[in-house]
Amino acid sequence: MCDSGSGEEEASMDCAASTVDSLISLPFATIDIEDAYGVTDGPQINSKRSKEKETVKSKQIKKRKKKRKDYQPNYFLSIPITNKKITGGIKTLQSTIIEQDQRLAKAMVGDGSFHVTLLVMQLLNADEVNIGVDALLQLKPSVEDVLQGRQLTLPFQGTDTFGNQVGFVKLADGDHIPPLLEIAEIAKRTFQEKGVLAGESRSFKPHLTFMKLSKAPWLWKHGVKKIDPKWYEKFINHRFGEETLYRIDLCSMEKKKQSNGYYHCESSIVVGKKPIGTQDLINEVLEQERMGLKSKVKQIKELLLMPETQAKIRRELFEGRLINDSNPANGVDFSATLT
């Protein structure tokens, strides 16, 4: 999820690569440094080797330039935000901003999509997605080694922006930062070793995005060119809550989102124990009761659809009607025959 300045970074990289190409095309680009300083030992051999080295180097630079230019992340590793205190606080923040300008509703990150991006990558086809899934599964024991059985709690407090274009909730400072950065670095290395084009040139800065002006580019034409700090000034030091790292998902930026608003997920790993509160226990009990009733209803439905059951019902109903018709004054209760 290239939340901030990704276009500028790519343009900068392309410019740098273009400058290198321009230098290589100049006459002095292939001159061997030893020849330039008058070293004459084997000049023809050295010159030839130098030219070959420079040719290979030139091709490698052009190849890296093309690869980086074509690099457009379309998948990412996500730490989903599920704490309702955090999501509720963000929705209150969003509502506060929208009240000041209704048009900004289109720039808000949708409910259910809140997450922290751990790593971005490019997976162009099904085979590469499978490689990404394998890398994610391989990542699990490494993350657990970092955690060493402990829960990694991520506290979110305050708000800020990237270049006044992306609004985000900040991850507070603390002892949780080093292990999270280590996990991000291990993830990057794991995917790159699998041949996946992953990571960004900028340093990893964990954050929780709540709005992006790029989601509504037409706002620019209507004079909304940056996020005004006054919109969120009441939340600059607001404590949103804590999220425990429990799951890491491999998600698509482009595929259709799930019904709950969360991204399409190719695979997940569980890397910790999910904290269980009173409401979680109540929900679990209710879910078990619901599943039990659903199972019983299914069994009854299957029983009623059986041919022999339907035949028995028709027979008993028909026989009961005949008896009632032939003995209209009979006060005997034949309902027992239907059980």
Side-chain angles (χ1 to χ4, degrees), residues 103-119:
R103 297 173 300 176
L104 297 172
K106 297 295 183 181
M108 297 301 167
V109 173
D111 184 22
S113 297
F114 300 132
H115 69 281
V116 172
T117 299
L118 196 63
L119 179 71

Side-chain angles (χ1 to χ4, degrees), residues 75-91:
Y75 276 84
F76 65 101
L77 292 186
S78 165
I79 299 175
I81 302 300
T82 59
N83 185 337
K84 291 184 178 180
K85 181 181 179 181
I86 298 177
T87 57
I90 293 176
K91 285 188 280 188

Side-chain angles (χ1 to χ4, degrees), residues 281-324:
L281 293 173
I282 293 174
N283 291 340
E284 185 176 348
V285 171
L286 291 175
E287 180 64 16
Q288 290 177 352
E289 289 291 332
R290 189 183 71 83
M291 294 302 295
L293 289 172
K294 186 176 180 180
S295 177
K296 290 180 180 179
V297 170
K298 183 179 179 181
Q299 291 176 1
I300 293 172
K301 184 176 179 181
E302 291 175 348
L303 180 63
L304 291 175
L305 290 175
M306 293 175 63
E308 55 269 30
T309 302
Q310 294 183 4
K312 183 177 180 180
I313 292 174
R314 284 195 297 269
R315 183 171 62 253
E316 293 182 349
L317 287 174
F318 180 71
E319 290 176 352
R321 188 180 300 113
L322 285 179
I323 294 172
N324 287 330

Side-chain angles (χ1 to χ4, degrees), residues 4 44 63 162 177 189 207 248 263 272 279 325 337:
S4 67
Q44 294 181 348
K63 186 176 180 180
F162 288 124
I177 296 293
R189 185 169 63 249
H207 60 279
I248 298 177
Y263 296 87
Q279 189 58 48
D325 289 344
T337 62

Side-chain angles (χ1 to χ4, degrees), residues 173-233:
D173 293 332
D175 295 339
H176 54 279
I177 296 293
L180 183 62
L181 295 179
E182 185 177 356
I183 290 172
E185 184 59 33
I186 292 173
K188 182 178 180 179
R189 185 169 63 249
T190 300
F191 276 77
Q192 289 181 344
E193 287 175 352
K194 288 278 188 179
V196 175
L197 201 58
E200 296 178 287
S201 58
R202 60 191 173 106
S203 59
F204 173 61
K205 183 177 181 179
H207 60 279
L208 205 176
T209 301
F210 66 84
M211 73 177 294
K212 292 191 289 186
L213 292 184
S214 61
K215 289 174 63 66
W218 51 268
L219 285 171
W220 180 275
K221 297 179 181 179
H222 290 79
V224 183
K225 299 182 179 181
K226 65 178 183 178
I227 298 174
D228 191 334
K230 293 182 180 179
W231 295 344
Y232 58 84
E233 60 183 354

Side-chain angles (χ1 to χ4, degrees), residues 91-286:
K91 285 188 280 188
T92 300
L93 164 62
Q94 292 176 326
S95 297
T96 301
I97 295 175
I98 294 171
E99 286 174 2
Q100 299 172 65
D101 191 334
Q102 293 292 323
R103 297 173 300 176
L104 297 172
K106 297 295 183 181
M108 297 301 167
V109 173
D111 184 22
S113 297
F114 300 132
H115 69 281
V116 172
T117 299
L118 196 63
L119 179 71
V120 296
M121 69 199 70
Q122 185 183 67
L123 303 173
L124 298 178
N125 51 53
D127 289 338
E128 291 187 3
V129 170
N130 289 334
I131 292 173
V133 171
D134 289 341
L136 177 62
L137 297 177
Q138 183 178 320
L139 180 63
K140 178 179 170 68
S142 299
V143 174
E144 291 176 340
D145 285 343
V146 173
L147 297 178
Q148 295 182 346
R150 297 168 299 184
Q151 288 186 338
L152 184 60
T153 302
L154 308 176
F156 292 91
Q157 182 175 5
T159 50
D160 201 350
T161 70
F162 288 124
N164 292 320
Q165 297 298 305
V166 177
F168 64 90
V169 173
K170 297 191 293 184
L171 181 63
D173 293 332
D175 295 339
H176 54 279
I177 296 293
L180 183 62
L181 295 179
E182 185 177 356
I183 290 172
E185 184 59 33
I186 292 173
K188 182 178 180 179
R189 185 169 63 249
T190 300
F191 276 77
Q192 289 181 344
E193 287 175 352
K194 288 278 188 179
V196 175
L197 201 58
E200 296 178 287
S201 58
R202 60 191 173 106
S203 59
F204 173 61
K205 183 177 181 179
H207 60 279
L208 205 176
T209 301
F210 66 84
M211 73 177 294
K212 292 191 289 186
L213 292 184
S214 61
K215 289 174 63 66
W218 51 268
L219 285 171
W220 180 275
K221 297 179 181 179
H222 290 79
V224 183
K225 299 182 179 181
K226 65 178 183 178
I227 298 174
D228 191 334
K230 293 182 180 179
W231 295 344
Y232 58 84
E233 60 183 354
K234 294 181 180 179
F235 295 85
I236 288 179
N237 294 310
H238 179 76
R239 191 168 187 84
F240 288 85
E242 299 177 340
E243 182 73 38
T244 299
L245 176 61
Y246 166 69
R247 204 179 78 222
I248 298 177
D249 302 325
L250 175 61
C251 297
S252 170
M253 298 180 189
E254 300 173 347
K255 293 184 179 180
K256 184 178 179 180
K257 290 184 177 181
Q258 301 178 35
S259 58
N260 62 359
Y262 190 61
Y263 296 87
H264 173 85
C265 184
E266 297 289 351
S267 184
S268 303
I269 56 173
V270 174
V271 294
K273 294 181 179 180
K274 187 177 182 180
I276 299 178
T278 303
Q279 189 58 48
D280 293 313
L281 293 173
I282 293 174
N283 291 340
E284 185 176 348
V285 171
L286 291 175

